[in-house]
Amino acid sequence: MKNILDRNQNKAGEIRELMRENKVCMINLISSPGAGKTTLLERLCEKLAGRYRTGVIEGDVTTDRDARRLQRFNIPIVVINTGGGCHLDSHSISKALTHFDLKNLDILFVENVGNLICPTSFDLGESFRLAVVSTTEGDDKPAKYPMIFRQAKALVLNKTDLIPYTNFNIESFRNDLKKLNASLPLFKVSATKGDGINEFARWLEEQIINS
Amino acid sequence: MKNILDRNQNKAGEIRELMRENKVCMINLISSPGAGKTTLLERLCEKLAGRYRTGVIEGDVTTDRDARRLQRFNIPIVVINTGGGCHLDSHSISKALTHFDLKNLDILFVENVGNLICPTSFDLGESFRLAVVSTTEGDDKPAKYPMIFRQAKALVLNKTDLIPYTNFNIESFRNDLKKLNASLPLFKVSATKGDGINEFARWLEEQIINS
């Protein structure tokens, strides 16, 4: 296991250097299955794809369904099917990158496999990690799956439109987060309704400009 | 990796034999984080704990929060914290079993770590696997994470009370399921509201009696 992680880390370092040379901001999206990563990407593509040259790597166990949802944006998309694998690694990213024209890219979103645990152990050479968690998963996710909440540069709390129909307690959620990562920016979003997308997209633009 | 799986399989075989000797029906619950496994167990304990001698193994990355939610049922509960590990294995189950009086047990629920991928590779010696998926995760989960839907003896579709507020399409969900596992029994449930619990509990009782 240590060997696998070491080799992953070496390749991730090369990717990070390559992204820096080409001035590409690479964002690794990590969440549970069905938290809304792809819907969030649809909203972000609507906001950003005209103004920033955007690409996407879609990580999935199987199928190209998520990639097909993004096709209408006419942006470069590469699918990585892990064939049962529970996370992306830097070697699969490295291969996927050969299909992009990095000189003509500003942002590269990497949608990791839906899994709140394993992807946190694998550096992909990203500029930063973005955690996405949905209200319908319950307010106890930070306490129960702390790794990604410690690592992320920002947290999108998605499906806020469903809070009235659930027992999600935002205070309890915030209290647990504070213990793990007090300075983590939290964006409350409904990706299906569009709520909160402008504010999050503005934050994201700042990261791209400063990266 | 093959070595790890082989050793896991051997120990799982021993556990399965032990459960058979003691006439314990062991059920391995697998789902994404926040799909509602613990709330489902709360409802099942209300229905079954008086009439069947019930025990629970709670698998979690960290915390004993799920176990504490079940304490009011005064049943034996053992917590396995994987400390970052993404699934339970038969060795951790074997150790946990030493804390149960198996002769005085009819059902042993094992709530696996919230993860739709990794737990599917590790036999725990269970009588069968139960898949839990929630409507808010989206109707594309069977197609995108097929393993557990192929393995499960039954599928609980939880959070049906939230369908009116989402774009979950039950026909599309059923069509994907049919391709993976046409004979998989599907129980539509709202564990928080109690809808559909009676029907599912009846099916479960039949499994316990016939095991």
Side-chain angles (χ1 to χ4, degrees):
Chain A
M1 189 63 192
K2 196 182 169 305
N3 242 328
I4 291 172
L5 287 175
D6 282 349
R7 269 187 292 140
N8 184 76
Q9 195 62 52
N10 289 341
K11 182 58 83 177
E14 293 172 24
I15 292 172
R16 192 163 281 117
E17 190 49 38
L18 186 68
M19 294 293 136
R20 227 175 262 147
E21 282 167 18
N22 288 281
K23 299 192 175 65
V24 178
C25 179
M26 178 173 154
I27 304 168
N28 182 0
L29 281 84
I30 296 178
S31 85
S32 302
K37 294 184 295 305
T38 313
T39 309
L40 182 66
L41 285 181
E42 289 182 88
R43 292 298 88 74
L44 293 175
C45 284
E46 284 163 10
K47 293 278 167 203
L48 303 174
R51 294 179 299 129
Y52 296 90
R53 295 164 300 174
T54 304
V56 177
I57 294 177
E58 279 292 348
D60 265 311
V61 171
T62 181
T63 85
D64 62 352
R65 289 191 180 200
D66 291 350
R68 278 192 273 138
R69 289 170 59 188
L70 299 174
Q71 264 175 352
R72 64 189 165 102
F73 296 105
N74 289 313
I75 56 174
I77 305 171
V78 173
V79 175
I80 301 175
N81 277 154
T82 62
C86 52
H87 60 85
L88 295 177
D89 64 28
S90 58
H91 296 276
S92 58
I93 294 292
S94 179
K95 269 182 223 153
L97 287 177
T98 63
H99 299 284
F100 289 94
D101 175 12
L102 294 176
K103 278 190 176 53
N104 284 308
L105 212 59
D106 300 309
I107 323 170
L108 180 60
F109 291 111
V110 178
E111 182 175 341
N112 219 310
V113 176
N115 183 332
L116 217 43
I117 307 171
C118 313
T120 65
S121 299
F122 289 82
D123 187 359
L124 305 182
E126 67 268 6
S127 308
F128 62 88
R129 294 178 184 190
L130 180 68
V132 182
V133 68
S134 58
T135 61
T136 49
E137 293 170 69
D139 49 44
D140 58 358
K141 290 301 144 306
K144 290 187 58 192
Y145 301 83
M147 295 88 86
I148 184 57
F149 299 95
R150 287 204 186 102
Q151 300 171 346
K153 191 168 187 181
L155 168 61
V156 170
L157 175 63
N158 193 24
K159 308 191 189 181
T160 53
D161 56 309
L162 297 179
I163 289 181
Y165 315 110
T166 68
N167 51 16
F168 185 87
N169 184 325
I170 186 90
E171 285 317 306
S172 166
F173 182 78
R174 277 188 197 279
N175 284 341
D176 285 342
L177 270 180
K178 217 177 279 178
K179 288 174 208 155
L180 290 170
N181 189 347
S183 63
L184 182 68
L186 170 66
F187 295 91
K188 291 186 272 181
V189 160
S190 166
T192 55
K193 308 288 183 196
D195 305 341
I197 292 293
N198 283 341
E199 196 185 345
F200 178 60
R202 264 198 301 277
W203 178 88
L204 209 54
E205 278 191 64
E206 282 169 30
Q207 311 311 308
I208 297 160
I209 292 163
N210 297 328
S211 76
Chain B
M1 188 64 192
K2 196 182 169 303
N3 242 327
I4 291 172
L5 287 176
D6 281 350
R7 270 187 293 141
N8 184 76
Q9 195 62 51
N10 290 340
K11 181 59 83 179
E14 293 173 24
I15 292 171
R16 192 162 281 117
E17 189 50 39
L18 185 69
M19 294 292 135
R20 226 175 261 146
E21 282 167 19
N22 287 282
K23 299 192 175 65
V24 178
C25 180
M26 178 172 155
I27 304 169
N28 182 0
L29 281 85
I30 295 178
S31 85
S32 301
K37 294 184 295 304
T38 313
T39 309
L40 181 66
L41 285 182
E42 289 183 87
R43 292 298 89 71
L44 293 175
C45 284
E46 284 163 10
K47 292 279 167 203
L48 303 174
R51 294 178 299 129
Y52 296 90
R53 296 165 300 175
T54 305
V56 176
I57 294 177
E58 278 292 348
D60 265 311
V61 171
T62 181
T63 85
D64 62 352
R65 290 192 179 199
D66 291 350
R68 279 193 273 138
R69 290 170 58 187
L70 299 174
Q71 263 174 352
R72 64 189 166 101
F73 296 105
N74 289 313
I75 56 174
I77 305 172
V78 173
V79 175
I80 301 175
N81 277 153
T82 62
C86 52
H87 60 84
L88 296 177
D89 64 28
S90 57
H91 296 275
S92 58
I93 294 291
S94 179
K95 270 182 225 155
L97 288 177
T98 63
H99 299 283
F100 289 94
D101 176 12
L102 294 176
K103 278 189 176 51
N104 284 308
L105 211 59
D106 301 310
I107 323 170
L108 180 60
F109 291 110
V110 179
E111 182 175 341
N112 219 309
V113 176
N115 183 333
L116 216 42
I117 306 171
C118 313
T120 65
S121 300
F122 288 82
D123 187 359
L124 306 181
E126 68 268 6
S127 308
F128 61 88
R129 294 178 185 191
L130 180 68
V132 182
V133 68
S134 58
T135 62
T136 48
E137 292 169 69
D139 49 44
D140 58 357
K141 291 301 145 303
K144 290 187 58 193
Y145 301 84
M147 295 88 87
I148 184 57
F149 300 94
R150 287 204 185 102
Q151 301 171 346
K153 192 169 186 181
L155 168 60
V156 170
L157 175 63
N158 193 23
K159 308 192 189 180
T160 52
D161 56 309
L162 297 179
I163 289 180
Y165 315 111
T166 68
N167 52 18
F168 184 88
N169 184 324
I170 186 91
E171 285 317 306
S172 165
F173 182 78
R174 277 188 196 280
N175 283 341
D176 285 343
L177 270 180
K178 217 177 279 177
K179 288 173 207 155
L180 291 170
N181 189 348
S183 63
L184 182 68
L186 170 65
F187 295 92
K188 292 186 271 181
V189 160
S190 166
T192 55
K193 309 288 183 196
D195 305 342
I197 292 292
N198 283 340
E199 195 184 344
F200 178 60
R202 265 198 300 278
W203 178 87
L204 209 54
E205 279 191 64
E206 282 169 30
Q207 312 311 309
I208 297 160
I209 292 163
N210 297 328
S211 77

